[in-house]
Amino acid sequence: MRIRSQVLRKRSRGRDKTVMRLSRIIIKNFRNFKHLDIRLGEHAVVLGENKVGKTNLLFALRLILDPALPDSLRKLRLDDFWDGLTRPLKAEDIIEVSVEFRDFEGNENLLAVLADHLVKPDPMVARVTYRYQPVQGLERAPRSEADYEFILFGGDRPENSIGYELRRWMPMDLFPALRDAESDLARWSRSPLRPLLDRAAKTVDVKELNAIAGEVHTITSKIAALPELSSVVSQVNDQLITMVGDKHAVETALGFSPTDPERLLRALQMMIDGGKRGVAEASLGSANVLYLALKHLEHQYLVDEGERQHTFLAIEEPEAHLHPHLQRLIYRNYLQTRDETQAGPEPRSILLTTHSPNVASVAPLANVVVLRHVAGEGHTIGRSLKGIKLNASDREDLERYIDVTRGELFFSKGIILVEGDAEKFLLPTLAKLHDETLDFDALGISVCSIAGTNFAPYVQLLGPKGLNIPFVILTDFDPKGEVVSQEDADPDEVGVVNSYGENRVVNQIMQHLLNEEVWTKSDFAKVMKLAPNYGVFLNEFTFEIDVFKAGAADYFLTAITKLSTNKKMHARFKDLSADPDSLDPLQFLKDIDSIGKGRVAQRLSAVLVDERADVCPVYIKEALKYLKAKLA
Amino acid sequence: MSALAPPYLKVAEDLRGNEDQWRAYRSSGNCVILAGPGSGKTKTITVKIAQLIAEDVRRPRRIACITYSNACVGELRSRLTKLGVDDGDRLSLSTVHSFCLTELVLPYAAMAGLDVPNPLVVASPRQARSLFGDAYRRQLGGNAPGWFRIASDKLRRTIPDRGSDEWHAWDGRETEVVEAYETLLLQNGLIDFDGLVLAGLQLIEKHEWIRRAIRAKYPVVVIDEYQDLGLPLHRIVLALLRAGVRIVAVGDPDQSIYGFTGAQPGLLRALAGLRQMESVALKLNYRCADRIIAASMALLPEPAEFQSHDGRSGEIQIHRLECGIREQADYALQMLVPALLKANPSWVPGDIALLYRTLNEGSPIAQAADALSLRYFRLDNGSPIKRTRLSEWLMDAARWCSGGWQTGEVSLSQLLKAWRRMYRSVMNESELLTARKHLITALFSLRGGALPLHRWILALRRDVLNEMLEQEPGLADEKDNLEELINAAAKGGILQGFTVEIFGNQGKSPDQLNLMTLHSSKGLEFQAVIMIGLENGVFPSGFDRTDEQLKEASRLFYVGLTRAKTQVHLIYDSVESPLITSIRAAT
């Protein structure tokens, strides 16, 4: 039987467009967190490599928000203290998890739940804290787990204890990484379909249901009475009696479903493909989509019926169950900002943990949280993009840019920002041939091309106020009067003296890297001088020319010869190979452009590898040295 | 009606026959219920509360119910329990002080930048007295007379705004001492009970976000005994009303007898007169016989129209004895009481109350009863048993220990719940479990009605109470009370002969005669009331000179009269009180 989709009742809630959000998480001394303090947007997409502590972060939240977590698990163990604390633990060592909520003022029910836990009045901010600490009144140093207890309290008042109530009204619902959606869907007791059907069943006319049950019974009996089938049944029954005797044997019969009206509904199954196949035969992906959809509806019902006010939906590693295109499709939809939705805001926050660039690529920037292991210190820190101030067009640029292939940005340990594809293709080779320890993949270094746009938003994204990931910028000098490689935002050429690149370094890049005080005190020349200290490196002309001048004339010739059939061009490059000083930059670049910068770079890369040639220009060497030091 | 229907629906059917009660029950907005003596006030308001919880306020929001004293809280709680309404989850039942403490000052004072001690420690009455004495000495020199303290307390409750014109216009001697006292409290890291209410008032009047928070938590606030609650609470109520909180207020301006604490009968009338309030007067008096109703109405300047319930005529007798209080008491105890019991075989001594104005009458009356070896229950300032949260709990515990554990008349679970309400600060489960275990062990080991009270209470203090009183800021006043009770139960004290059983049955035993002040008799009822010492110049007293004071004296007399169902005896020496004169025509 097929379930027809139900039209949801119009929600009465929604007086206010704002929806509560989890605005901050602070974790101290818990597992791999020494001190994590992150601010969140409407949702949180938590990115980080394996073992960085994504599951621990969710568990920390479960301590406060998950009503399904028993108190026996809420009582932590000594192993849960951060490893960096010296043992034996001192009395003042405590584990603490605090979460803050905002934007709940418009919902009086939520305000009723949180009003006793305010820490800021206008706009209201509520805080709830979990603490694992030595038992109060213990007059000696704690020795064992028996000396510890946990408390949960609201506001800044440890005596303001919090119990089940809060978790009940605004619960966290966790979909763990290793869930088994197909079997959950197939088993009645765990099926997310059950609460939906139970609700619908309440309104089914009992008489009608009895009549249907009667019909089902009649039909089932008819089928079972087919002689071929009934003989199967009697064989089974006979075998049972021979095995266990007639006292213990169960009498069996064939049927499609129990005929008791009450049980009839429970026997209903979700079918797919127009009713041809059961859900158990669905692909992993579709079962998970179905599972999410049903949960979604259930949360909606619970809120509509006043059973809860908000849901924190935590989904671990959605990529484990979904094809990449589904990942992007579903989570782009889930994570869309609230003013984008037409149906009005949903009383729900999504918390995703993932190492999928696919999911990362669709997350609105304000929702991105990146967890990173601090090498050498043995703990994990987090950065969120909630706080960075980008204007709307920069934000849009970045979000468009961080598409699938470049979602790896968030997972990098170090980043090299470059102007275009040529650098992107060639840099790994130049680096490896210059210094064989510089294996970008092994080191977690990504080369990221801004594709002729603007460095400023990337600097903000990666800089100390954003993700705080070590990065260098390689940019072109672009002498004034030459063809500009960038769409520099200086149409009036104010500030451009003899180079577009210098203006770019000072006014687009360094402005966001220097603190206010240094910025106002320094003149143009001073800022230029400071740039390399901040990882910003300028070449002498433009990338290809600087590589050429670093001794690559012969290799360019080899590459061009293989790429082009233009005899005149071959001749030009042959001449250049014989006399590199005769370079005409304009013609050189024109020739490369005619083939395509990317293609040239790719071929040149192959040539350099074959020849084991180190032709790294000085500015790139310096940049690599800078980055290597940062990553050490 | 189905067996599964909540109990209040059944009781609500009883209200249907009484037009006014039914109107109060059906009211769906802001409402003032003016409830005269015997009008079924408590029944009406408890059913109303049960209905609000079941029908009007959805979880997670709750109802707040605020009343005058801990005794009133206890009374409401036990009545609500019978209706199946449990304090806690859906309802917050508290006094004004504890409402201000837990709902306003603790959660919001620091955030609102209000100058209150941190951590918040509530001054015990002894600490407050001593600091007030210091403030008086500092400002005016010498020791503070008792009346000055009372006047100053009243001042704090009637002019809440320091720095207002009204405050500056007031007698500088009083305002200076009050200001010095409040500064001293703060310097010592303390706040007193009145300070809590004043802080609560400031918070709620000044901050829109606090009003929003309270409205979200408590969309309906019920206030009982409104006439006794004074200006600060009245202004809190007005602020809540403006913020959109639904207010249900109950009280009787005619029974306002706490003017010396700052209560004003006019406040409830003013509230009832507001455009957005529905005002319902419960006119039917189920308690008093016709003549008693008529006499009591003669005392009121603007009598409401009370209707008698069943047409019993009743009796009022006036006795001119030409003798002092002690002899008046002897006459009442030796002549009147036996005669009443003889004429009414179904009555027991517990149906009769001797009422009086102050301790001046109470002491000789108690002596007279002692001389006759009568068993009695005494309720006045001279009584070693104050009606406080702790003493009420101790009496329940005593009843449990002296047989209640077998009969089920007092349940252990109720005792534990009430204990938990006093002992709020225990936060974590394990600590709470340990404390509970101690309590239960102590109670089980102290079973036995014949145990001397002194031994019983000392053991309980050692095992359980000390720890609780040390840790609980809200019980600051109870330490002194417990000390006093223990002294009274010790050798040579007034209660030295008391056993656990006698203590537990205080005020509950049918064979104990009731001796109490008029103030303490409020809310109670008896078959017969005997009032003693109604002498001109004594009641109203020579100090009652202003119109307001005289009116209050007559309200106090009104309260006394209306305690009686059937008979009233009024006794004086030789010149009758003008209060007697004013009702003569109606007798």
Side-chain angles (χ1 to χ4, degrees), chain A residues 119-178:
Chain A
V119 288
K120 281 188 194 128
D122 198 15
M124 288 184 183
V125 179
R127 185 187 300 149
V128 177
T129 299
Y130 165 98
R131 247 185 219 166
Y132 184 66
Q133 60 183 21
V135 170
Q136 291 298 288
L138 190 72
E139 278 158 13
R140 52 176 172 77
R143 288 178 200 144
S144 68
E145 270 157 26
D147 290 337
Y148 283 84
E149 64 181 357
F150 74 84
I151 57 170
L152 261 167
F153 60 89
D156 288 325
R157 303 180 290 143
E159 72 282 3
N160 179 30
S161 68
I162 283 182
Y164 174 69
E165 274 297 282
L166 179 97
R167 302 194 277 278
R168 176 205 158 158
W169 294 113
M170 31 192 278
M172 172 165 157
D173 207 339
L174 175 71
F175 296 175
L178 297 171

Side-chain angles (χ1 to χ4, degrees), chain B residues 100-160:
Chain B
C100 287
L101 176 67
T102 57
E103 304 296 339
L104 296 167
V105 179
L106 283 176
Y108 305 130
M111 232 183 305
L114 193 68
D115 206 4
V116 295
N118 185 16
L120 199 78
V121 180
V122 181
S124 75
R126 196 191 295 173
Q127 286 171 311
R129 204 160 42 238
S130 138
L131 290 178
F132 188 85
D134 292 349
Y136 186 89
R137 255 189 304 283
R138 202 169 288 183
Q139 297 298 320
L140 304 175
N143 289 329
W147 64 265
F148 192 91
R149 172 88 198 275
I150 294 173
S152 301
D153 284 348
K154 180 173 172 180
L155 170 62
R156 294 177 72 199
R157 293 167 194 159
T158 34
I159 311 181

Side-chain angles (χ1 to χ4, degrees), chain A residues 300-344:
Chain A
Q300 201 65 66
Y301 271 117
L302 286 168
V303 170
D304 286 346
E305 290 171 359
E307 289 299 310
R308 67 167 65 160
Q309 300 298 334
H310 192 93
T311 305
F312 295 100
L313 180 57
I315 307 172
E316 260 191 309
E317 296 180 12
E319 62 268 26
H321 305 276
L322 292 174
H323 305 302
H325 70 281
L326 274 179
Q327 289 175 30
R328 294 197 296 276
L329 204 60
I330 290 182
Y331 292 102
R332 181 174 285 129
N333 189 32
Y334 257 40
L335 297 169
Q336 64 188 330
T337 51
R338 276 159 187 149
D339 40 351
E340 284 172 11
T341 59
Q342 304 214 315

Side-chain angles (χ1 to χ4, degrees), chain A residues 105 108-109 111-113 115-116 118-121 124 136 149 151 157-159 161 168-169 305-306 309, chain B residues 58-61 89 102-103 106-108 111 209-210 212-213 215-217 424-425 427-431:
Chain A
E105 288 170 65
E108 290 209 297
N109 290 316
L111 181 51
V113 175
D116 282 344
L118 299 184
V119 288
K120 281 188 194 128
M124 288 184 183
Q136 291 298 288
E149 64 181 357
I151 57 170
R157 303 180 290 143
E159 72 282 3
S161 68
R168 176 205 158 158
W169 294 113
E305 290 171 359
Q309 300 298 334
Chain B
R58 288 201 69 184
R59 289 165 196 274
R61 307 176 79 186
D89 190 16
T102 57
E103 304 296 339
L106 283 176
Y108 305 130
M111 232 183 305
W209 58 273
I210 295 182
R212 258 192 298 144
R215 185 187 64 197
K217 280 188 343 180
R424 280 168 194 270
S425 64
M427 298 175 289
N428 70 73
E429 288 299 304
S430 64
E431 216 176 301

Side-chain angles (χ1 to χ4, degrees), chain A residues 387-406:
Chain A
I388 62 166
K389 291 183 183 69
L390 292 172
N391 65 40
S393 69
D394 282 352
R395 184 176 295 274
E396 277 168 28
D397 276 353
L398 273 179
E399 284 176 1
R400 205 177 315 120
Y401 173 78
I402 300 167
D403 61 9
V404 196
T405 52
R406 295 169 237 198

Side-chain angles (χ1 to χ4, degrees), chain B residues 383-402:
Chain B
S383 161
I385 309 172
K386 302 275 184 303
R387 299 204 64 183
T388 66
R389 272 189 292 173
L390 181 63
S391 69
E392 300 265 333
W393 183 84
L394 282 171
M395 283 194 260
D396 284 344
R399 276 198 302 150
W400 186 85
C401 285
S402 57

